[in-house]
Amino acid sequence: MSTAALDTPTAQSRTATKQETPRSQENKPNWFARIVLGIVCLAWTVPTVGLLVTSFRPIDQINAGGWWSAILQPWNNTWGLQNYREVLGNNDMGAAFVNSIVVAIPATLIPIMFAAVAAYAFTFMQFKGRDTLFLVVVGLLVIPLQVAFVPMLQLFGRDGFDIIGQFVVVWLLHTGFGMPLAIYILRNYMATLPRTVIESAQIDGASHYQTFWRLIVPMSTPALASFAIFQFLWVWNDLFVALVFIGPGENAPITVAIQNNLLSQQGAGWN
């Protein structure tokens, strides 16, 4: 009896060791995946490094050799900030850069704010026609932006609110056309959140306002951040809406300023 009692823990320890071995192997770093990811990251970074190096070189040296030659032989190149002085001072790109920030930040935050509230209603509130209304909102994703340009010009032009050329018109347009995608992304994410947390808050007497701000918004941070990145990049790189509804002038964002101040028949002034 004593021998069996002594052998039992040993057998159990061996069984535990055998069961823990695969788990320990799963936790080992996959060096092949890390090497591949490192190569991909390097490939994405190299063009940016080339742009940075080129921006500090004069145009004649840029045309004479590639940016990699400047890195290999830095003493044979003339480095300076002349390109930055020219683009920020002589071409008013500094003011255009500020205008782009003024356009992009509100046009990113406003649709997120409204879409988060709408997604909460579509997910956690019961009302008549909820699913039908959500399908209508999702269906707006297929409507191209260009289709609404004529009625929007009439609405915001001289025959309407007369706000063409101001920042607010671009905020409204990007908010309206960004809302369907934002509601779709946030609603699908909120549907995956544990309903037990929401039900516990309701039992404790929390209102929809408290539940939304104290529970849903903190738990939805990944979805909110994802849409914010997409929306900011879309608004920042937009030329069509900015050109039609703001146009050249003191409120022109950087995309319009590049087209009007840097592009010409002689070249793009890309340096």
Side-chain angles (χ1 to χ4, degrees), residues 31 46 52 70 80 122 125 131 175 184 188 199 202 237 266:
W31 291 107
V46 166
L52 180 63
F122 282 125
M125 299 179 65
D131 295 337
T175 297
Y184 178 74
N188 289 343
E199 294 172 354
Q202 293 175 351
N237 294 322
Q266 284 74 30

Side-chain angles (χ1 to χ4, degrees), residues 74-124:
W75 52 87
N76 293 333
N77 289 266
T78 303
W79 305 92
L81 300 175
Q82 181 60 32
N83 293 329
Y84 290 93
R85 296 190 188 98
E86 181 179 354
V87 73
L88 295 177
N90 300 337
N91 294 285
D92 296 330
M93 294 298 293
F97 185 84
V98 175
N99 291 337
S100 289
I101 295 177
V102 174
V103 169
I105 293 179
T108 302
L109 297 180
I110 295 174
I112 288 178
M113 179 178 62
F114 286 105
V117 177
Y120 174 84
F122 282 125
T123 307
F124 300 107

Side-chain angles (χ1 to χ4, degrees), residues 214-243:
R214 296 185 179 183
L215 293 177
I216 300 302
V217 171
M219 290 191 296
S220 302
T221 301
L224 295 171
S226 299
F227 175 76
I229 293 172
F230 285 116
Q231 181 72 1
F232 183 87
L233 292 177
W234 168 258
V235 177
W236 183 271
N237 294 322
D238 173 71
L239 171 63
F240 199 15
V241 174
L243 185 62

Side-chain angles (χ1 to χ4, degrees), residues 141 143-146 148 152 172-181:
L141 288 171
I143 300 178
L145 180 64
Q146 294 78 5
M152 291 296 102
L172 294 174
L173 285 171
H174 284 298
T175 297
F177 283 94
M179 284 279 289
L181 179 61

Side-chain angles (χ1 to χ4, degrees), residues 147-169:
V147 173
F149 268 24
V150 173
M152 291 296 102
L153 283 171
Q154 295 175 350
L155 177 63
F156 298 127
R158 295 180 179 178
D159 298 334
F161 295 102
D162 194 16
I163 56 175
I164 297 294
Q166 302 180 24
F167 293 130
V168 63
V169 65

Side-chain angles (χ1 to χ4, degrees), residues 43-88:
W44 278 93
T45 307
V46 166
T48 305
V49 174
L51 291 174
L52 180 63
V53 173
T54 302
S55 67
F56 293 104
R57 303 174 65 199
I59 186 64
D60 54 343
Q61 294 184 3
I62 294 174
N63 295 329
W67 60 267
W68 50 89
S69 62
I71 295 179
L72 296 176
Q73 298 178 344
W75 52 87
N76 293 333
N77 289 266
T78 303
W79 305 92
L81 300 175
Q82 181 60 32
N83 293 329
Y84 290 93
R85 296 190 188 98
E86 181 179 354
V87 73
L88 295 177

